Amino acid sequence: MSRPKKALVTGITGQDGAYLAQFLLRKGYEVVGLVRRSSSPSLERLARLGVQNDVKLVEGDLGDQYSIINAVQAEQPAEFYNLAAQSFVPESWKTPVQTGEFTGLGVTRCLEAIRCVNPEIRFYQASSSEMYGKVLEVPQSEETPFYPRSPYGVAKVYGYWITVNYRESYGLHSSNGILFNHESPLRGHEFITRKVTSAVARIALGLQQELRLGNLEARRDWGFAGDYVEAMWLMLQQDEPDDFVISTNETHTVRELVEVAFRRVGITDWEQHVVIDPRFYRPAEVDLLIGDATKARTRLGWSPKVDFHGLVEMMVDEDIAWETERMQLAIHSDRLAA
Ligand code: NAP
Ligand code: G4F
C-alpha cells in the first residue's frame, strides 16, 4: 500500500488553515501544521471543524529561516501551503516592518527551505486581491497590473513575485492563488463580515445595542473560505505551476452586507443600530474589488458553491447559535455558583 501524501501548512491555526486541513484530511493526506511558539496556541478553529487531533503540529516561525528548513527537512512533505501572514490590513499601517518581514520576506524563507531541502516539493503562496488596490482594470484578472494601497498589499506583491521568480530561476513548482476576500463562521472578529454578523447576532439577542463601522461604500468580492481551499489544492495538482484568480465574480458594498445580515434576524431599520466611526476609516482605501476567475474555471474546473447571500446568512446563523450557547453556559454556571 502506498504511503499517504503529506502536506505542510503554515497558518494552520487561521481561518483558511483550518478549512484546508479538513479538506486535505478528507482526501487522505497526512497534515502537518507549522505553528509559532505561544504559551497557549489557539487550536479553536481546528477544534470547531473537529480535526484538532488529526493534524501534527511542528514549531516554526516565518521570521526564522532555520525553523522552516528544519520543519521541511524533518517532515519531507510533497506539498507546502504557505498561508501564514500578518493578514489584517489596518494592522499593517501600525506594524509595516513586521508585516513586510512575515507577509513578504516570510515567503522567501519558505521557498529557500524548499530549494535547499527538496526542490520537488510543490508550493502554494496565499496571494491576495489586495495587490490590485487602486484597481487599474475592472474586473481584475491574472493580467491586471498591481497597485497596492497598504503595507500589507505591498508585502503581498513581493510574495507574489518571489514565488514567480523561484519558479523561473530554479524550476520550482510554485504557484500563486490570487484570492479575493473569503469568509466563514471561523473568520476573525476584526474583519468586516464577522464583525457585522457577530454584532447582528448579539443585537438580535439583546446583548449589544450598536455597531460601529467605517466606510460603508467599499466594494468587495466575497466568497466562502470552504470553497476557496479546494482551489489551492487544485493548483498543486496541475502538471505545471501557474497563477490563478479565485473569486465569485460578484461585488457588493459593505452597506449591502450590513443590510443582508440585519434582514436575516428580521431587523429592517438597521441604521438605528449603526454608528459611523472615523477610527475605522483607512489611510488609503481599496474601493472596488471584483475578480474574473475564468482561468480557474476553465483550467482547474473550479467554481464557488456558496453565493454572497448564502454566505452572510450562514455566518449570521452560526453566530446566533454560538452566542446562544455562550448565554446558556453562563446561565448554567451562575446556577451552579448560586
Ligand atoms: P488568518 O486567519 O489571519 O491566519 C493567519 C495565520 O498566520 C495564523 O495561523 C497565524 O498564526 C499565522 N501566522 C502569522 N504570523 C506568523 C508567523 N510569523 N509565523 C508563523 N505563523 C504565523 O488568515 P486567513 O484569512 O486564514 O488567510 C490565510 C492567508 O491567505 C494569509 O496569508 C492571508 O494574507 C491570505 N489571504 C486571505 C484572504 C481572505 O480573504 N481570508 C484573501 C487573500 C489572501 P497565529 O494563530 O499564531 O496568529
Ligand atoms: O474585512 P476587511 O478588513 O478586509 P480587507 O481589508 O478587504 O482584507 C481582507 O481581504 C484581503 C483580500 O482582498 C486579504 F488579503 C486580507 O488578508 C483580508 O483577509 O475590510 C473590508 C472592507 C474595507 O474596505 C474596509 O474599509 O470593509 C471596510 N470596512 C468598513 N468598516 C471595515 C469596517 N473593515 C473592518 N475591518 N472594520 C470596520 O469597521
Side-chain angles (χ1 to χ4, degrees):
M1 221 173 73
S2 62
R3 281 175 62 82
K5 250 188 184 178
K6 192 187 275 191
L8 180 64
V9 180
T10 73
I12 198 162
T13 56
Q15 171 190 255
D16 291 7
Y19 281 105
L20 181 64
Q22 182 189 50
F23 176 89
L24 293 173
L25 287 165
R26 284 179 178 164
K27 289 248 169 242
Y29 277 69
E30 263 179 59
V31 178
V32 180
L34 184 102
V35 291
R36 50 182 168 173
R37 207 205 80 79
S38 151
S39 55
S40 59
S42 172
L43 305 180
E44 186 196 323
R45 292 186 174 100
L46 292 165
R48 277 184 75 181
L49 296 184
V51 297
Q52 178 187 10
N53 299 322
D54 301 329
V55 298
K56 175 177 175 184
L57 300 178
V58 296
E59 219 169 87
D61 193 304
L62 281 199
D64 186 78
Q65 180 70 73
Y66 285 113
S67 67
I68 306 174
I69 291 179
N70 285 341
V72 174
Q73 181 75 53
E75 297 301 330
Q76 297 288 335
E79 296 171 10
F80 185 131
Y81 296 84
N82 180 35
L83 308 185
Q86 189 303 96
S87 78
F88 188 44
V89 173
E91 176 67 19
S92 75
W93 278 283
K94 293 185 195 152
T95 59
V97 174
Q98 197 188 50
T99 300
E101 188 68 55
F102 296 153
T103 306
L105 264 184
V107 187
T108 308
R109 295 192 182 98
C110 297
L111 288 161
E112 272 293 281
I114 291 176
R115 186 181 72 82
C116 296
V117 174
N118 177 4
E120 295 303 311
I121 297 170
R122 295 185 173 197
F123 180 73
Y124 171 85
Q125 165 56 14
S127 286
S128 165
S129 51
E130 275 289 310
M131 300 188 302
Y132 296 122
K134 191 169 181 181
V135 298
L136 298 173
E137 190 176 36
V138 178
Q140 297 86 49
S141 74
E142 294 80 4
E143 307 306 320
T144 306
F146 302 137
Y147 189 150
R149 293 275 277 172
S150 61
Y152 168 83
V154 172
K156 281 288 180 187
V157 171
Y158 173 84
Y160 171 93
W161 280 114
I162 200 72
T163 299
V164 173
N165 182 262
Y166 270 55
R167 179 161 85 212
E168 294 176 353
S169 303
Y170 304 113
L172 295 195
H173 192 296
S174 51
S175 298
N176 284 289
I178 307 175
L179 270 54
F180 283 61
N181 297 52
H182 47 280
E183 320 293 315
S184 74
L186 302 186
R187 187 58 143 152
H189 284 264
E190 67 275 38
F191 298 94
I192 188 72
T193 51
R194 189 77 195 286
K195 182 174 175 180
V196 169
T197 62
S198 66
V200 164
R202 290 177 61 78
I203 289 169
L205 294 168
L207 298 170
Q208 182 174 328
Q209 297 309 316
E210 65 174 33
L211 167 59
R212 302 185 84 84
L213 296 175
N215 180 8
L216 296 189
E217 306 315 323
R219 291 184 160 271
R220 289 290 184 278
D221 178 330
W222 279 295
F224 172 51
D227 289 344
Y228 284 35
V229 297
E230 182 193 12
M232 300 176 186
W233 175 77
L234 283 168
M235 284 176 220
L236 297 205
Q237 310 318 306
Q238 305 306 302
D239 290 340
E240 298 298 328
D242 206 342
D243 309 313
F244 293 89
V245 161
I246 302 298
S247 65
T248 69
N249 308 20
E250 269 185 40
T251 190
H252 298 273
T253 57
V254 171
R255 181 182 295 278
E256 283 174 81
L257 161 71
V258 174
E259 273 169 10
V260 173
F262 273 106
R263 207 184 310 133
R264 183 67 173 172
V265 296
I267 297 176
T268 48
D269 62 343
W270 59 269
E271 286 95 341
Q272 305 301 318
H273 297 282
V274 172
V275 177
I276 300 302
D277 186 335
R279 280 185 305 145
F280 297 109
Y281 276 82
R282 298 177 179 187
E285 178 62 286
V286 171
D287 295 314
L288 164 68
L289 289 177
I290 176 166
D292 174 358
T294 306
K295 182 174 169 185
R297 197 172 59 245
T298 53
R299 298 257 297 274
L300 303 178
W302 178 87
S303 57
K305 297 179 186 70
V306 179
D307 69 4
F308 173 69
H309 284 82
L311 172 68
V312 178
E313 289 168 4
M314 172 209 304
M315 291 178 69
V316 171
D317 292 353
E318 285 237 14
D319 273 322
I320 295 260
W322 179 247
E323 291 294 345
T324 307
E325 195 181 316
R326 274 167 34 132
M327 268 163 49
Q328 283 164 351
L329 275 175
I331 293 168
H332 184 65
S333 49
D334 280 355
R335 282 206 189 118
L336 284 179

